[in-house]
Amino acid sequence: AQSVTQLGSHVSVSEGALVLLRCNYSSSVPPYLFWYVQYPNQGLQLLLKYTSAATLVKGINGFEAEFKKSETSFHLTKPSAHMSDAAEYFCAVRPGGSQGNLIFGKGTKLSVKP
Amino acid sequence: GAGVSQSPSNKVTEKGKDVELRCDPISGHTALYWYRQSLGQGLEFLIYFQGNSAPDKSGLPSDRFSAERTGGSVSTLTIQRTQQEDSAVYLCASSLRAGGSGANVLTFGAGSRLTVL
């Protein structure tokens, strides 16, 4: 069965520091991978998606993620954190084929200290 | 509409009552999904609809939960005889289609927060 594991339910960084949010997946077929962000009291917003076109994917707000098949990982990074990045981040996998729903990780809450 | 609309945004009910949550997807999106978000549990898939195909109900936690989608557009999630453990945020999403070879992007609504007393 497909699954997503996000290491660390809470991550805290200082403003200007590197952001690294970890995501590992398991899938029996080449997956489609996503990162979503949820700001307080809002729905989920797509940050970026991996569709096999390129292993390094750039998203909105300066975020990017790299697909590493050998490590079954899709970690999210941003070189310099901003206070406005404080939110909860969810990694998700769509296994491919006919199955349409996404399987989400439990989320990582990012705090940014001034 | 421009986005996915959900109502009510907040619902407080008593244990044992039935509740209905509504989702209005983006116009033209053929796929519609329901997820449940509980504190510390991430997003739990409940059900999805794709066009006129039979819905994938594999995530519904019990027979107290049901959903329908009328006319390929608006969907209603119904929870019968609510229990306290049903308290959560229920999120609806839609996409152009489900499955296939593309990475179909889900667009989410703001959610309906359900509190069962």
Side-chain angles (χ1 to χ4, degrees):
Chain A
Q2 291 79 16
S3 66
V4 175
T5 302
Q6 292 185 240
L7 292 177
S9 57
H10 286 87
V11 170
S12 182
V13 300
S14 297
E15 192 173 19
L18 171 72
V19 175
L20 171 60
L21 304 182
R22 299 178 186 274
C23 173
N24 288 88
Y25 70 92
S26 69
S27 176
S28 56
V29 298
Y32 299 107
L33 294 158
F34 305 79
W35 276 98
Y36 279 82
V37 60
Q38 186 177 34
Y39 298 103
N41 300 315
Q42 295 186 27
L44 274 74
Q45 177 183 355
L46 179 70
L47 267 181
L48 49 80
K49 63 180 182 182
Y50 167 73
T51 62
S52 78
T55 56
L56 182 63
V57 182
K58 295 187 183 298
I60 62 171
N61 301 337
F63 284 93
E64 61 183 36
E66 185 173 9
F67 172 70
K68 292 187 176 180
K69 184 178 179 181
S70 61
E71 299 177 7
T72 60
S73 69
F74 190 57
H75 302 331
L76 182 71
T77 60
K78 181 173 179 177
S80 177
H82 192 273
M83 297 297 290
S84 61
D85 295 327
E88 190 155 21
Y89 293 80
F90 293 91
C91 182
V93 62
R94 182 171 91 76
S98 62
Q99 188 172 357
N101 61 300
L102 297 186
I103 299 165
F104 284 85
K106 292 187 182 297
T108 298
K109 193 166 187 177
L110 176 67
S111 299
V112 182
K113 299 174 291 187
Chain B
V4 178
S5 179
Q6 291 189 245
S7 60
S9 55
N10 278 286
K11 175 73 175 178
V12 179
T13 191
E14 295 178 346
K15 178 181 172 181
K17 301 277 189 180
D18 297 352
V19 296
E20 287 188 347
L21 307 176
R22 175 187 166 107
C23 175
D24 200 344
I26 292 173
S27 178
H29 280 193
T30 64
L32 185 147
Y33 312 76
W34 283 99
Y35 286 84
R36 178 168 69 177
Q37 185 176 21
S38 306
L39 197 61
Q41 295 300 311
L43 274 76
E44 176 189 6
F45 165 71
L46 298 177
I47 185 172
Y48 85 88
F49 300 85
Q50 169 56 58
N52 295 320
S53 302
D56 179 344
K57 305 179 181 180
S58 60
L60 294 178
S62 77
D63 59 7
R64 296 187 296 105
F65 288 72
S66 63
E68 63 177 21
R69 188 178 185 192
T70 54
S73 180
V74 173
S75 176
T76 301
L77 177 69
T78 301
I79 309 173
Q80 295 178 309
R81 305 181 302 281
T82 52
Q83 303 295 313
Q84 288 183 331
E85 61 262 28
D86 299 335
S87 296
V89 176
Y90 290 82
L91 292 168
C92 176
S94 69
S95 67
L96 279 173
R97 63 189 182 284
S101 60
N104 307 313
V105 174
L106 272 63
T107 301
F108 283 84
S112 292
R113 182 177 296 277
L114 175 65
T115 303
V116 182
L117 302 177

